[in-house]
Amino acid sequence: MLNPKIVLFYVSIFPQFVSQERVLADSMVLGGTQAIVVSLWFILVILLATQFKSLLLNTANVKWLNYLTAGMFFGFGVKLATTKL
């Protein structure tokens, strides 16, 4: 809870979905659901990052990505040079 944006999100959004009679229970359900979703998202990111790491360690893939990014930068440069202000 060190991020003030998260605290403001909880204070501004969660009360809309919490009943007056069950404030604590509804808040715990919403907070728990959000914690589970965030945890699953980070697990997915970690798993995909390990797959992406193996992709980047392959020298053939790295060479292909270098050509791709060089082509993209060249295309952006051409577009920038031909744009009229």
Side-chain angles (χ1 to χ4, degrees):
M1 287 298 193
L2 297 176
N3 188 351
K5 292 180 283 189
I6 297 296
V7 173
L8 290 175
F9 172 76
Y10 287 133
V11 170
S12 65
I13 300 294
F14 273 12
Q16 298 174 22
F17 304 103
V18 174
S19 67
Q20 293 291 333
E21 297 83 26
R22 300 174 35 128
V23 174
L24 183 62
D26 288 350
S27 296
M28 290 297 190
V29 168
L30 286 173
T33 303
Q34 195 266 343
I36 289 170
V37 168
V38 168
S39 298
L40 291 174
W41 170 250
F42 282 127
I43 289 171
L44 178 68
V45 167
I46 290 168
L47 294 175
L48 291 177
T50 56
Q51 295 296 321
F52 190 64
K53 178 184 173 186
S54 66
L55 175 77
L56 289 179
L57 290 177
N58 186 349
T59 55
N61 290 339
V62 171
K63 190 174 185 179
W64 181 80
L65 284 172
N66 283 338
Y67 287 135
L68 177 69
T69 54
M72 288 174 53
F73 278 123
F74 183 77
F76 290 148
V78 168
K79 177 70 174 169
L80 183 62
T82 58
T83 300
K84 294 184 181 181
L85 297 177

